Amino acid sequence: MCGIVGYIGTRNTTPIVIEGLKRLEYRGYDSAGLAIIDNNNQLSIYKQKGKIIELERALPEPEKCFSNIGIGHTRWATHGEPTVVNAHPHTSYCKKIALVHNGIIENYKPLKEKLISSGHIFVSETDSEVLAQLIGYFYEKTEDLVRAVKQALKLVQGTYGIAVICQDNPRQIVAARKGSPLILGIGDDEFFITSDVSAIIIHTKRVIYLHDDEVVDINPAGFIITNLENEVVEAKISKIDWDISAIEKGSYKHFMLKEIFEQPESIENAFRGRLNHKLSTIRLGGLNLSSQELRNINRIVIIACGTSWHSGLVGKYVIESLARIPVEVEYASEFRYRNPIVPTGTIVFVISQSGETADTLAALREAQARGAKVLGITNVVGSTIARETDGGVYIHAGSEIGVASTKAFTSQVTVLIQLGILLGRMNHLSPVYGKKFLQELKQIPAKVNEILKSNDYIKSIAETMVNSTNAIYLGRGINFPVALEGALKLKEISYIHAEGYPAAEMKHGPIALIDENMPVIAIALKDEIHEKIISNLQEVKARKGRIIVIASKGDEVIKDFSSEVIYIPETIDVLQPLLSVIPLQLLAYHIADLRGLDVDQPRNLAKSVTVE
Ligand code: G6P
């Protein structure tokens, strides 16, 4: 989604902002722009459709765009097509003020009409230009940028992260947030403003996460944060605890491949320090729940979107199986707009890698408004969801740059498995079983490593699927959500239509699609329902479908039903998704790469969807 990078200090802004915008490319965007105020106090705006490299090419020679202040933006189109005119920064009618904006101004139409009736002319179709013009309207009356920004924001409904500059004062950036992340980076005699710390981590690790309704007035010597009522807000400086290598590809061709290969470590990080071997249980202190409160949970609702929703579905199987507590898994976008039932004793978990997904955030607030305790499972420390929940668990997966989520999924599942063990031990699960789960969880990183050794073989299977137009993924029980996730991975990055189905459900419809051109990818591990899924595969085979099976190591019989078999090590049932998803991630990756597609930044998708 949209990204913001701003700089004020003593260095040349342009390369800093351009480099920062490149770090945000992973979030998904379709145009980019930059505004600077040069040494002659002239505001200059540069915008381009497409990649940041196009913007870079369009810039004049370096000496002509030297500046100590600037704001840049990557835009993911919502209101209006991805064109140069619609790209940010947008300017006020007086052309003195430039603004970059993340989020959506919901009441932009009436505001626009009012401005038009007072003589303003609009050039773009965007809601963001309305905000730029509104700030300009107030600025013309007082020539006080902070005041003008606040006056405008008081009239605005919707969400925003904004940065604003004005050519009358080349030593000031004003930035504000509501519902869209914004971070102030503190350097030596210089400051940064960004929507994502990845953009500024090479310059500083000292940051302030702005809260909703806060406005920061930045100059090269300092800053002041106030709220819309002009009260000064005390800021807390946080230290980023990871470094630049976490957001670089290293020797990998793509971030997605790097992240798939990081999973032995990221899974381990999700349980590191949390296994309580003495009591054969799990320690999750961040939940902020006493033992009694944990025992009192009689229903769990899990809310999420996309891949996080799939991990939630795995969580349902795990928690119901280990703790015997009923679990419902909801799409955040659905939960927020219906009339959900949240009785006493219900605990809500919101799962979000980014911690910023707009629908998940709105569902969180709705659940809290209905009196539920809401806990978060997130990756990004200090994210809005992490801050607004009543407690939760960080997955500690490290930065995930590839738009198609991989290591965040397995880390979320690792946390949900631990939650299942913890709640199980609070209820029916014996110490013997608790111990068994703990021991088996510890073995998972090594087993993932073993699967990663099949990378070349999986690539050879991918070669046979490059020209496929459709694929079906089948799984049963806890591997059904994994089938959904495998199909989603393929869709997202290869643009091949794929469906995930519970294997037995295939005969109620999708079986009509099966012929020799339809690859069927089935997860058929040695478990209680192994025989059942074999029957389902026979149904596919009888219709000449091409079957690629993820099977348990040592299962020779499965070869009779399949064209290809990818073997994975055995583990206990509830841990299987941590292994069975790995070949599916690799398969989708290689197919997309062989098709020559932009694996890390697939078309139309965004890493973190901060709009409804
Ligand atoms: C976007 C991403 C998906 C992700 C989903 C939920 O659609 O492209 O990969 O699963 O958002 O994101 P979250 O950050 O809330 O887990």
Side-chain angles (χ1 to χ4, degrees), residues 278-335:
K278 206 166 149 212
L279 298 176
S280 302
T281 187
I282 299 289
R283 243 179 258 118
L284 295 175
L287 293 178
N288 298 333
L289 294 176
S290 65
S291 302
Q292 196 49 51
E293 284 173 312
L294 285 168
R295 274 192 198 94
N296 287 347
I297 299 174
N298 54 32
R299 183 169 168 262
I300 291 176
V301 176
I302 296 179
I303 301 173
C305 304
T307 288
S308 298
W309 186 82
H310 292 157
S311 72
L313 218 48
V314 174
K316 173 183 168 72
Y317 281 86
V318 176
I319 295 167
E320 289 190 346
S321 154
L322 300 187
R324 310 300 301 149
I325 297 171
V327 181
E328 279 169 50
V329 186
E330 297 252 15
Y331 286 112
S333 52
E334 290 298 313
F335 182 89

Side-chain angles (χ1 to χ4, degrees), residues 21 34 48 55 93-95 107 128 179 194 222 398 421 528 580:
L21 291 177
L34 165 76
Q48 278 300 315
L55 173 65
Y93 190 44
C94 58
K95 300 283 176 247
N107 60 336
S128 306
T194 184
I421 299 171
E528 284 170 2
S580 56

Side-chain angles (χ1 to χ4, degrees), residues 71 80 85 110 115 163 192 196 202 219 250 256 259 271 286-287 289 306 314 359 410 511 520 523-524 549 603:
I71 51 175
V85 172
L115 287 165
F192 307 83
D196 179 335
I202 51 166
N219 66 65
M256 182 178 175
E259 286 155 9
F271 66 71
L287 293 178
L289 294 176
V314 174
D359 284 325
T410 45
I511 200 163
V520 175
I523 306 156
V549 179
R603 70 183 180 204

Side-chain angles (χ1 to χ4, degrees), residues 305-308 352-354 357 403 405 492 606-607 609:
C305 304
T307 288
S308 298
S352 173
Q353 186 283 129
S354 63
T357 302
V403 163
S405 184
E492 285 179 313
K607 183 72 189 156
V609 180

Side-chain angles (χ1 to χ4, degrees), residues 322-324 423-430:
L322 300 187
R324 310 300 301 149
L423 295 173
R425 290 285 295 118
M426 289 280 169
N427 294 298
H428 314 276
L429 202 67
S430 73

Side-chain angles (χ1 to χ4, degrees), residues 90 100 109 183 197 206 275 416 428 431 446 530 534 598:
H90 288 289
V100 290
K109 271 197 179 142
I183 298 142
V197 283
R206 296 171 69 220
L275 309 187
L416 287 159
H428 314 276
H530 186 247
I534 294 288
D598 191 347

Side-chain angles (χ1 to χ4, degrees), residues 27 304-310 351-358 360 377 380 385 400 402-406 408 412 485 488-489 492 602 605-609:
R27 300 178 67 93
C305 304
T307 288
S308 298
W309 186 82
H310 292 157
I351 308 180
S352 173
Q353 186 283 129
S354 63
E356 301 293 349
T357 302
T360 312
I377 297 178
V380 180
I385 290 177
E400 190 181 65
V403 163
S405 184
T406 51
Q412 288 165 348
E485 175 60 9
L488 180 66
K489 287 293 86 93
E492 285 179 313
L605 296 182
K607 183 72 189 156
S608 142
V609 180

Side-chain angles (χ1 to χ4, degrees), residues 175-422:
R177 80 156 266 176
K178 184 179 188 182
S180 188
L182 208 59
I183 298 142
L184 173 70
I186 302 166
D188 296 330
D189 299 324
E190 59 183 10
F191 294 94
F192 307 83
I193 195 81
T194 184
S195 51
D196 179 335
V197 283
S198 309
I200 59 168
I201 186 90
I202 51 166
H203 304 293
T204 182
K205 289 189 169 185
R206 296 171 69 220
V207 297
I208 292 171
Y209 296 96
L210 294 181
H211 297 89
D212 280 356
D213 296 319
E214 287 179 358
V215 178
V216 58
D217 180 6
I218 317 163
N219 66 65
F223 63 90
I224 177 161
I225 302 176
T226 52
N227 61 22
L228 293 182
E229 308 314 321
N230 293 326
E231 292 156 337
V232 175
V233 175
E234 211 178 307
K236 180 173 159 269
I237 299 178
S238 306
K239 181 123 186 0
I240 308 291
D241 62 358
W242 47 272
D243 61 30
I244 190 74
S245 62
I247 51 167
E248 296 199 320
K249 276 198 286 237
S251 56
Y252 289 94
K253 187 172 177 190
H254 293 102
F255 279 108
M256 182 178 175
L257 190 62
K258 176 183 178 232
E259 286 155 9
I260 292 172
F261 272 81
E262 279 171 351
Q263 287 176 110
E265 201 188 329
S266 55
I267 291 173
E268 187 149 4
N269 286 341
F271 66 71
R272 194 188 301 279
R274 290 173 170 163
L275 309 187
N276 180 343
H277 292 287
K278 206 166 149 212
L279 298 176
S280 302
T281 187
I282 299 289
R283 243 179 258 118
L284 295 175
L287 293 178
N288 298 333
L289 294 176
S290 65
S291 302
Q292 196 49 51
E293 284 173 312
L294 285 168
R295 274 192 198 94
N296 287 347
I297 299 174
N298 54 32
R299 183 169 168 262
I300 291 176
V301 176
I302 296 179
I303 301 173
C305 304
T307 288
S308 298
W309 186 82
H310 292 157
S311 72
L313 218 48
V314 174
K316 173 183 168 72
Y317 281 86
V318 176
I319 295 167
E320 289 190 346
S321 154
L322 300 187
R324 310 300 301 149
I325 297 171
V327 181
E328 279 169 50
V329 186
E330 297 252 15
Y331 286 112
S333 52
E334 290 298 313
F335 182 89
R336 63 182 290 193
Y337 284 119
R338 47 185 201 82
N339 192 5
I341 301 166
V342 188
T344 318
T346 301
I347 289 279
V348 173
F349 277 92
V350 287
I351 308 180
S352 173
Q353 186 283 129
S354 63
E356 301 293 349
T357 302
D359 284 325
T360 312
L361 187 55
L364 181 177
R365 290 172 179 160
E366 181 59 29
Q368 279 176 334
R370 282 166 190 265
K373 185 157 236 179
V374 185
L375 304 171
I377 297 178
T378 55
N379 192 25
V380 180
V381 176
S383 58
T384 310
I385 290 177
R387 286 207 308 249
E388 291 203 13
T389 39
D390 305 304
V393 190
Y394 281 118
I395 62 172
H396 297 309
S399 284
E400 190 181 65
I401 306 282
V403 163
S405 184
T406 51
K407 63 176 180 171
F409 173 80
T410 45
S411 296
Q412 288 165 348
V413 170
T414 305
V415 164
L416 287 159
I417 289 167
Q418 292 175 89
L419 192 63
I421 299 171
L422 171 67

